Amino acid sequence: MPLDAWISLAVVTAVFPLMAFSRLGPDIVLLGAVILLLTLGVIDPSQALGGFSSTGLFTVAFMYVLVASIRETGGIDLIIRHVLGRPRREGIALARLVVPVAALSGFLNNTPVVATYIPAVLSWSRRLQLPAHRLLMPLSFASILGGTVTLIGTSTNLVVHGLLVERYPSLAMGLFDLAWVGLPVALIGVLYLIFIAPRLLPARRGAASAFENPREFTIEMEVDPAGPLVDRSVEEAGLRHLRELFLVEIEREGNVVSVVGPGERLKGGDRLVFAGTSDGAVELQQIRGLRPSRHGESSLEKEFQERRLVEAVVSDQCQFVGKRIRDGHFRSLYGAAVLAVCRGGERVAGNLGQVRLQPADVLLLEARPPFIERHRQSRDFLLISQVNGQARPKHEKAWLAWSILAGVVALATFGVMSMMNAAMLGAVLVLVTGCCSVGAAKRGLDTQVLLTIAASFGLGAALESSGAAATLAGLALGLADGNPWLLLIGSYLLVALLTELVTNNAAAVITFPVVMASAESLGVNPMPFVVAVMFAASASFLTPIGYQTNLMVHGPGGYRFGDFLRVGGLLNVLTAIVALALIPLVWPF
């Protein structure tokens, strides 16, 4: 094996554990790997940048804009209001949840679908008196299953199809070709989620129950009108650097000052809301000029136009992961104050400023209204849902956004134009018709996913051009003993394992050249192997870190790591059996 091949294998081997276990984003790791390979001369600039000209990448980007238009016009909320209803039994409730979610995810990126559904499901579960944890994991899994039904169901399908068309233009797939396997997989999976999964889930407390009583994690004091603190700033009053508490907001004459700055001047009768531990009350009582609040209702239970209470799920890419809240200056960076942290369904006790954030932590935040839109698409938070205040008014153009998406699907299905052309036309139409603003479209683009896809192409090109892919294919053929069935099963298992550790797009794109080289060496039809890569990359039910929607429901549902192993493990096995049995029947070797 030539030196370039050894270098390519070494870089790719290092990439997977870095993505799985370091706090570096997959886009940063993969871009770094491509730069290293380019510097060492393993790939040339055209190969390094080849991913940025991929039709699959641009199709994914335009689909993000279409999905943003559905979200901005309230198109998903419209469906939620009509389909959830008031079922009398848990099984019917699950059916009303997972069937529409699976159907929607066949045409929309599942991350915004799940993000829109989570707040609705939490309030729905309270209305039905049904534990939220029995609904949230099925919600995530249903969205993953739905993505396997069509070519646009997941970004992975589009990217792998782009690689296929580059290599074999005559093997281009139709929008619904995957449905021959995807529909049975989704049907079996949905039945499992309705009838079997609830029996495997133990009782869990979610973030909603941990945050339900604001008095548990706040202390309220008043400024004595005759005391020494009147007209002094927060800093001068000694309220800026308390050990156990920090000042969140000031209620003053029917209004609220949220995310209080150090220069804010106190007035007599101000009601001060502090977050932290109950032990901190002793510290406050020792400050002259403060007295316990005499109001009956908690300030946080009131609604103020200038203040929002929001729940945010911490992403594994959040810059605060591993840092203490106080050390990282959370308030100054985000313009929001942390009131409480929920982890594994339980509120984290102790000094709030000393808490080190972890992925999937749920934060209860007090923020100003602009925070919600500013950080809804932030890579630091997987989900931001409003706890109080008026929701944004729903746009009357939801029907138009859905019509444009339906038109894109029709144009691609009947071969009028390519999937990329149809998605591009749809993206232009939603912008021109006002279904989506340019700003919302930019926020809707998941740049981390797009960069991950583009960089993965460089690694795939290195494996192929250096001869490493052919060498690995030879090893795979030896292990499979020349049997296409064994090679298909081995390819599926390899991609399914990698997608649990790293992103599904990276797992699919990097393994694609190896799988294709194996099929070509065996002299069989490559299509079964292409489809197996698509399905294996989507079958990510085993861990909360394997798929973004799993991480989104992990905190709000109060799940443990073992819950995903218990429920998702069996679902992984079921989907693998159904997919591997059907793929060679639809696309023979």
Side-chain angles (χ1 to χ4, degrees):
M1 200 164 62
L3 178 62
D4 282 359
W6 283 111
I7 294 172
S8 300
L9 280 177
V11 171
V12 170
T13 303
V15 154
F16 286 113
L18 273 175
M19 282 195 289
F21 303 114
S22 78
R23 296 222 314 270
L24 293 171
D27 52 339
I28 302 299
V29 172
L30 291 169
L31 283 170
V34 169
I35 292 169
L36 179 61
L37 290 168
L38 180 63
T39 305
L40 295 174
V42 177
I43 53 176
D44 57 38
S46 64
Q47 291 172 313
L49 300 175
F52 291 95
S53 62
S54 161
T55 57
L57 179 76
F58 279 95
T59 307
V60 171
F62 293 130
M63 288 303 298
Y64 276 136
V65 178
L66 285 171
V67 172
S69 74
I70 300 289
R71 186 181 61 248
E72 289 297 306
T73 57
I76 300 175
D77 301 87
L78 199 66
I79 291 175
I80 291 173
R81 287 202 302 271
H82 283 90
V83 302
L84 291 184
R86 295 189 66 91
R88 295 182 179 180
R89 296 203 311 273
E90 182 178 341
I92 298 173
L94 279 168
R96 285 197 173 198
L97 175 66
V98 299
V99 173
V101 166
L104 278 174
S105 298
F107 303 95
L108 301 177
N109 180 279
N110 52 13
T111 302
V113 172
V114 172
T116 308
Y117 256 90
I118 286 176
V121 167
L122 290 173
S123 61
W124 189 52
S125 68
R126 285 193 294 270
R127 204 163 61 243
L128 299 180
Q129 296 184 327
L130 190 64
H133 76 277
R134 300 182 74 81
L135 301 171
L136 290 176
M137 190 182 290
L139 165 66
S140 175
F141 288 173
S143 73
I144 296 171
L145 290 165
T148 64
V149 176
T150 69
L151 200 59
I152 62 173
T154 70
S155 57
T156 308
N157 290 352
L158 286 168
V159 171
V160 172
H161 182 254
L163 287 169
L164 172 69
V165 172
E166 257 181 47
R167 199 175 187 113
Y168 306 106
S170 61
L171 296 181
M173 300 173 71
L175 188 62
F176 291 101
D177 285 359
L178 286 174
W180 292 104
V181 178
L183 272 177
V185 166
L187 179 61
I188 296 294
V190 163
L191 291 174
Y192 169 84
L193 292 176
I194 294 172
F195 296 107
I196 299 175
R199 301 173 186 272
L200 302 176
L201 273 173
R204 293 282 183 248
R205 287 182 78 237
S209 59
F211 294 156
E212 63 188 354
N213 185 5
R215 289 189 183 277
E216 290 183 3
F217 43 82
T218 57
I219 297 169
E220 300 187 7
M221 305 290 285
E222 282 185 14
V223 176
D224 186 348
L229 300 186
V230 176
D231 290 329
R232 297 181 70 177
S233 71
V234 169
E235 185 91 47
E236 292 167 349
L239 303 179
R240 183 65 176 165
H241 300 291
L242 300 170
R243 285 181 310 180
E244 300 286 329
L245 300 164
F246 59 90
L247 180 59
V248 174
E249 70 177 26
I250 301 173
E251 184 183 340
R252 177 183 296 154
E253 298 175 353
N255 294 312
V256 69
V257 179
S258 59
V259 194
V260 183
E264 182 69 33
R265 296 209 166 267
L266 302 175
K267 295 183 180 180
D270 279 355
R271 188 179 182 186
L272 312 182
V273 179
F274 295 87
T277 65
S278 56
D279 295 339
V282 177
E283 188 179 3
L284 289 178
Q285 288 166 6
Q286 293 173 351
I287 298 176
R288 287 182 61 239
L290 285 185
R291 63 189 185 191
S293 175
R294 293 170 293 180
H295 296 266
E297 185 183 15
S298 169
S299 179
L300 294 181
E301 292 171 344
K302 299 178 181 179
E303 290 192 4
F304 293 101
Q305 189 174 0
E306 307 88 353
R307 190 269 314 274
R308 295 288 183 270
L309 294 182
V310 297
E311 290 180 7
V313 179
V314 176
S315 162
D316 55 349
Q317 301 304 315
C318 179
Q319 56 189 302
F320 271 81
V321 168
K323 293 182 180 178
R324 295 185 299 183
I325 293 174
R326 189 185 295 274
D327 292 347
H329 305 291
F330 190 100
R331 188 198 317 226
S332 57
L333 181 63
Y334 295 115
V338 181
L339 297 177
V341 180
C342 180
R343 182 177 297 156
E346 301 291 337
R347 188 165 66 86
V348 178
N351 189 338
L352 198 57
Q354 301 301 316
V355 173
R356 295 184 184 273
L357 293 185
Q358 296 179 11
D361 281 352
V362 185
L363 310 180
L364 180 63
L365 304 175
E366 194 258 28
R368 294 188 178 97
F371 171 88
I372 298 173
E373 286 308 313
R374 191 183 306 128
H375 295 289
R376 193 184 293 277
Q377 299 300 320
S378 164
R379 68 190 303 175
D380 289 337
F381 304 114
L382 290 171
L383 170 74
I384 293 176
S385 61
Q386 196 163 309
V387 177
N388 71 341
Q390 295 298 312
R392 278 186 308 122
K394 297 299 176 256
H395 207 287
E396 66 278 1
K397 292 185 178 179
W399 65 271
L400 182 56
W402 278 116
S403 300
I404 292 171
L405 178 63
V408 168
V409 171
L411 289 172
T413 302
F414 296 110
V416 178
M417 58 180 65
S418 70
M419 188 65 241
M420 189 187 78
N421 284 355
M424 185 187 298
L425 178 61
V428 170
L429 284 175
V430 297
L431 291 172
V432 169
T433 56
C435 291
C436 181
S437 66
V438 174
K442 287 179 179 177
R443 290 193 302 271
L445 291 173
D446 193 332
T447 52
Q448 186 185 59
V449 170
L450 296 175
L451 285 173
T452 298
I453 293 169
S456 299
F457 275 78
L459 264 70
L463 289 174
E464 191 148 22
S465 63
S466 67
T471 303
L472 291 175
L475 291 173
L477 287 175
L479 291 172
D481 198 25
N483 187 322
W485 268 101
L486 290 178
L487 185 61
L488 184 71
I489 294 170
S491 301
Y492 186 100
L493 292 177
L494 173 65
V495 178
L497 175 64
L498 289 177
T499 203
E500 296 291 355
L501 300 174
V502 299
T503 69
N504 48 353
N505 287 307
V509 175
I510 294 173
T511 55
F512 182 85
V514 178
V515 173
M516 288 299 94
S518 302
E520 289 163 1
S521 299
L522 202 56
V524 295
N525 179 14
M527 279 306 296
F529 300 91
V530 173
V531 177
V533 168
M534 290 180 178
F535 276 87
S538 295
S540 185
F541 310 107
L542 208 55
T543 68
I545 61 171
Y547 211 92
Q548 194 171 51
T549 58
N550 289 350
L551 203 55
M552 289 169 72
V553 301
H554 182 250
Y559 298 113
R560 311 280 171 79
F561 198 92
D563 296 337
F564 285 88
L565 289 174
R566 187 182 299 109
V567 180
L570 186 53
L571 185 56
N572 257 34
V573 172
L574 280 175
T575 53
I577 290 171
V578 175
L580 288 170
L582 292 177
I583 288 171
L585 296 179
V586 180
W587 295 277
F589 294 116

